[in-house]
Amino acid sequence: DYLRHVGALDESNPLVPRVIIPNYVHTPMNCITSSKYYAVCCPDACENMMAHLEGEIQAPHASPEVIVDVVSGWLSASTNSRQNLSAALISKLKDV
């Protein structure tokens, strides 16, 4: 019910509901205080990475392999070498 209320639940296919990650990340639960007129929210440390992923993928869905390739490429830009994500992290991604 909470995800639906904050607009973070995609029920376009009732058999497979999905969480809309950007909508979930920007929910009021990330705010310290709010009122009818304002909200004091914490900055989203992952916003730059999400923008990069969305810009590279440019699709509503992506396979874990595509996401791993994009993230690995992004990490390599900051370290001048390709980094491999751990098997445990990739496994968690596939579970999503």
Side-chain angles (χ1 to χ4, degrees):
D1 290 335
Y2 175 75
L3 294 175
R4 185 178 298 111
H5 176 73
V6 297
L9 187 61
D10 174 6
E11 297 177 288
S12 58
N13 180 348
L15 299 176
V16 186
R18 298 174 186 258
V19 174
I20 304 168
I21 301 296
N23 291 9
Y24 177 74
V25 169
H26 294 288
T27 61
M29 73 177 190
N30 290 324
C31 298
I32 298 168
T33 185
S34 63
S35 77
K36 192 164 103 175
Y37 303 106
Y38 69 91
V40 177
C41 302
C42 299
D44 179 9
C46 299
E47 195 166 327
N48 288 338
M49 185 134 195
M50 285 298 297
H52 179 76
L53 281 171
E54 290 172 349
E56 289 290 319
I57 295 170
Q58 297 186 8
H61 306 282
S63 69
E65 293 78 18
V66 168
I67 295 171
V68 167
D69 285 345
V70 171
V71 171
S72 295
W74 187 62
L75 292 174
S76 70
S78 64
T79 61
N80 294 325
S81 65
R82 182 169 173 87
Q83 292 189 13
N84 293 320
L85 301 176
S86 70
L89 189 58
I90 293 171
S91 177
K92 287 180 181 184
L93 177 61
K94 290 179 179 181
D95 288 342
V96 174

